[in-house]
Amino acid sequence: MSTESITKTTNPSQQLERKAGFQPNHISHETSGGSSIFSPPSPNEQPVDSESTQVTVGEAVVKILEDAGVHCAFGISGGGIGPFWAALNRSNIQLLHFRHESGAAFAATETYFASGRPVVVFTTTGPGITNAITGLFAARGEGAKVILVSAITPAGNRGRWACQETSAHTMPLSGIFTPGPLFNYATILESADQLPEIARRLAQGLAQPGGFVVHISIPTPVQTTPLKAPLPEPGFSHALPVASEEAIAECVRLLSEESFGIWVGFGARHAAQEILELAEKTGVAVMTSPRGKGIFPENHPQYVGVTGFSGHLSVLTYMQEQRPQRLLVLGTRLGEPTSFWSPQMVPADGFVHVDIDPEVPGVAYPSAQTFSIHSEVKVFLKMLLKHLPERLNWSPTSMLPRPEGYANAPRINGLVRPDVLMNAIQRVIVEGSDAIIMAEAGNSFAWATNLLRFTQPGRYRISTGVGAMGHAVTGVVGASLGRYGKAVAIVGDGAMLMNNEISTAVRFEIPTVWIVLNDGRYNMCAQGMALQGFKGVDTEIPNTDFALMAKAMGADGIRVNTESDLEAALEKALLSTVPFVVDVSIDSTQAAPIGGRIRSLIKQGAIESKGDQK
């Protein structure tokens, strides 16, 4: 979108503040000249043609999205989506053009988690849709609320080799244009008569707890078709799933009579206070999934560590030496990234598993005894706390193992060691600001998850389901926009080269920060493949100056070659009013804490066979 197409003078964040009541999160920046996320160009009100007052299907869809709480839309315009894009551009929804559809989808996911509001991704036909799919899979896996609006080839042109044809002749319709593993709800809008049902399904799905990923595909001529009648207002009621009194009574009995621990996942992020109250009332140990970091304070004496990928040995010490009879599982699927399906994580009498999705309990450990509770976690805990007796029939262990850490002091010479970088990030960013911190798939994820410590929910974001490279380097732009404040991405050089949205942050003056672990290789691949016994794997990347690359795009950046320069560089990045890249020359020889993942892969057969050896 060119600057000439913008006719107002407010920026994306000013609109969010005006329309959604957003306030800056303790950050106030001033810029000289131009406009930014803290003072930027306004969206999209344009003069309305008084002779054309009849509402079109495209405009009606935009109105449905506004009524559903959408405040921003990300994507790339052009081609078949043009009329819908024009309707968006005239609306109160803030429109941001990205450089790649997958980046727009990743950013939409993180904007949702930062703001709590659904976000639209718009694409044209063909590759516009397929480019966005990986980011949308991440949205589904992470539990975000994201709505894809795409174009589709008009019915009369399907099968006639249309430009970027999108139809059953060129791609599978099932699963892309219909509900399934990717989309909770999907439809092709062929007629205005479908709009009431679409409005109802959107309103209902977006109001329910948990994620909701949608695809509405509209043929280009349908986007401009006039409505014949006004849309009815959708009306429905929605209640949170609540455990029965009988289920609560059984939980009280099980947890009162036998020792237990608490295993916290991302789905329990809205119940942090109740989890803390339950832990302190009972004195039990608490552990979290990688995505659950910060839901329970990691400096609390009852915290034993992170489980699964890049987790802490202290968790296994607890399970081996102070093994509880049961584990109360709150809001986690217990999948491979969280548990590695390790038998050591199964307590003697199994799990009490609480989840808002009734299909989750019992899946990861089908042979383990599991008492399943279908409930929203916060509601369940309030009921449990109300009925749990003051005195238990067992006594919790007073001394619990604590997560281990590294204590290397900065050195004057040599490349930057990853653990020293994480210590600097802990001091300057985690403890010195309220910024959201994201970590990219790879060694960045491993080091950050293992070494950073958080004391409140919502500040640490990773993707463990899809785990796509490119999620954090692009999603961080959406996180910064969604929270109206600083967001920091800890990423590898491979991910930074794969797919980033520095240019988008520059365009909308969103002061995002990227910290690049620059070691000239896909180092998780290099270290992991070596541990698996594979030899001769090409993982090297030609050296890139990311600080120079950032400046070439209009951002700012600094190259850090020694550990003594780390804190000053991070402080400069936090104070920057423009997008900023901290390019860190990393010592690639320090082994990342990925042993659990490698052992899991080897158990699944991911080792070099004799026939592969050369």
Side-chain angles (χ1 to χ4, degrees):
M1 178 172 59
S2 68
T3 54
E4 289 79 11
S5 69
I6 299 178
T7 61
K8 293 190 287 188
T9 58
T10 359
N11 75 3
S13 297
Q14 287 176 329
Q15 287 184 59
L16 299 189
E17 182 178 0
R18 181 177 69 248
K19 294 182 291 185
F22 278 24
Q23 295 295 326
N25 289 353
H26 315 299
I27 296 180
S28 177
H29 294 301
E30 295 181 357
T31 56
S32 57
S35 55
S36 77
I37 185 174
F38 301 105
S39 79
S42 130
N44 312 314
E45 285 178 15
Q46 297 192 1
V48 177
D49 184 352
S50 61
E51 297 181 359
S52 178
T53 58
Q54 193 168 16
V55 176
T56 66
V57 168
E59 291 167 334
V61 172
V62 170
K63 177 63 165 57
I64 290 170
L65 296 172
E66 287 183 310
D67 291 344
V70 171
H71 66 273
C72 55
F74 306 156
I76 299 176
S77 65
I81 201 65
F84 174 77
W85 171 87
L88 270 179
N89 200 42
R90 292 190 296 269
S91 76
N92 288 321
I93 295 174
Q94 176 56 40
L95 196 63
L96 279 78
H97 270 177
F98 276 65
R99 304 300 167 255
H100 197 275
E101 290 89 351
S102 67
F106 286 130
T109 299
E110 296 309 320
T111 299
Y112 166 73
F113 286 118
S115 69
R117 291 175 173 266
V119 182
V120 162
V121 174
F122 58 90
T123 75
T124 190
T125 50
I129 298 170
T130 57
N131 283 348
I133 283 178
T134 300
L136 294 166
F137 267 119
R140 180 71 184 265
E142 296 294 306
K145 288 183 166 72
V146 175
I147 303 161
L148 171 66
V149 180
S150 73
I152 190 169
T153 302
N157 293 339
R158 293 170 193 168
R160 299 176 59 199
W161 306 299
C163 183
Q164 296 181 334
E165 179 165 336
T166 304
S167 72
H169 296 274
T170 58
M171 65 175 62
L173 297 187
S174 179
I176 298 178
F177 300 91
T178 61
L182 176 53
F183 295 109
N184 299 93
Y185 171 62
T187 189
I188 300 173
L189 203 173
E190 303 275 18
S191 166
D193 294 338
Q194 297 171 251
L195 286 171
E197 173 63 7
I198 289 172
R200 185 190 70 82
R201 293 291 296 269
L202 276 180
Q204 187 174 24
L206 293 173
Q208 70 187 10
F212 190 63
V213 181
V214 176
H215 184 190
I216 302 170
S217 196
I218 318 174
T220 306
V222 175
Q223 296 170 36
T224 58
T225 301
L227 288 189
K228 297 178 181 179
L231 290 176
E233 292 290 333
F236 67 94
S237 62
H238 187 85
L240 292 174
V242 179
S244 66
E245 292 184 4
E246 292 80 6
I248 293 294
E250 180 64 8
C251 284
V252 168
R253 185 187 71 79
L254 293 174
L255 301 181
S256 299
E257 294 181 354
E258 296 181 328
S259 64
F260 74 97
I262 303 175
W263 198 345
V264 178
F266 186 65
R269 63 193 181 279
H270 301 303
Q273 183 57 45
E274 289 75 16
I275 293 169
L276 179 62
E277 185 178 345
L278 176 62
E280 293 187 338
K281 182 175 182 177
T282 59
V284 302
V286 181
M287 49 194 171
T288 65
S289 70
R291 287 202 304 161
K293 281 175 66 70
I295 296 174
F296 190 81
E298 294 187 86
N299 60 357
H300 197 284
Q302 288 170 239
Y303 183 68
V304 297
V306 175
T307 66
F309 202 117
S310 305
H312 297 116
L313 294 176
S314 51
V315 171
L316 295 179
T317 299
Y318 164 69
M319 292 299 295
Q320 291 168 358
E321 298 179 1
Q322 302 175 27
R323 193 178 192 83
Q325 292 296 111
R326 297 184 187 277
L327 280 175
L328 175 61
V329 180
L330 303 173
T332 169
R333 303 182 186 102
L334 298 185
E336 185 182 11
T338 295
S339 68
F340 292 130
W341 306 307
S342 169
Q344 293 176 293
M345 297 303 297
V346 180
D349 291 333
F351 303 106
V352 176
H353 197 153
V354 184
D355 204 278
I356 201 165
D357 184 346
E359 297 184 5
V360 164
V363 172
Y365 286 100
S367 300
Q369 183 176 339
T370 301
F371 183 63
S372 303
I373 303 289
H374 179 212
S375 176
E376 196 275 332
V377 173
K378 187 181 184 77
V379 173
F380 165 81
L381 288 174
K382 284 182 176 293
M383 296 174 68
L384 180 67
L385 285 164
K386 183 178 178 180
H387 293 92
L388 199 67
E390 291 299 323
R391 292 179 63 90
L392 304 174
N393 294 329
W394 55 274
S395 298
T397 305
S398 57
M399 295 297 293
L400 294 166
R402 299 284 294 135
E404 63 280 1
Y406 292 80
N408 285 330
R411 61 190 181 190
I412 299 175
N413 299 315
L415 296 172
V416 177
R417 291 164 292 178
D419 60 289
V420 176
L421 170 60
M422 295 303 144
N423 288 339
I425 292 173
Q426 179 73 38
R427 291 190 297 271
V428 176
I429 301 177
V430 177
E431 298 170 8
S433 79
D434 67 347
I436 287 177
I437 298 173
M438 301 181 64
E440 188 67 85
N443 276 4
S444 304
F445 168 105
W447 287 113
T449 300
N450 188 270
L451 293 181
L452 297 183
R453 302 287 186 265
F454 295 88
T455 59
Q456 57 196 125
R459 288 200 60 198
Y460 186 60
R461 278 288 301 137
I462 51 175
S463 172
T464 57
V466 174
M469 289 179 65
H471 187 134
V473 293
T474 57
V476 69
V477 177
S480 186
L481 180 67
R483 76 181 298 262
Y484 194 27
K486 282 283 186 181
V488 177
I490 304 170
V491 305
D493 49 350
M496 200 68 173
L497 288 168
M498 183 177 290
N499 185 17
N500 70 71
E501 293 287 345
I502 295 174
S503 177
T504 301
V506 169
R507 167 65 184 85
F508 295 101
E509 298 190 21
I510 304 172
T512 304
V513 175
W514 291 265
I515 301 171
V516 185
L517 278 65
N518 192 348
D519 52 18
R521 68 200 65 216
Y522 291 109
N523 208 13
M524 175 173 277
C525 296
Q527 295 180 353
M529 296 287 273
L531 290 172
Q532 291 169 250
F534 295 99
K535 300 176 182 179
V537 181
D538 180 10
T539 59
E540 293 189 5
I541 300 171
N543 184 266
T544 302
D545 188 329
F546 291 101
L548 187 61
M549 185 175 82
K551 292 177 180 178
M553 292 187 185
D556 199 1
I558 188 170
R559 190 99 186 239
V560 178
N561 295 311
T562 62
E563 293 174 354
S564 58
D565 293 333
L566 277 174
E567 292 200 9
L570 296 176
E571 289 168 354
K572 184 177 180 180
L574 274 184
L575 292 173
S576 177
T577 59
V578 300
F580 199 98
V581 172
V582 181
D583 183 4
V584 185
S585 299
I586 288 290
D587 182 350
S588 64
T589 63
Q590 192 167 0
I594 60 173
R597 165 64 170 162
I598 300 306
R599 288 189 291 272
S600 178
L601 286 171
I602 290 173
K603 285 181 181 178
Q604 297 173 58
I607 57 175
E608 185 173 28
S609 67
K610 293 182 179 180
D612 292 332
Q613 295 176 353
K614 301 251 178 144

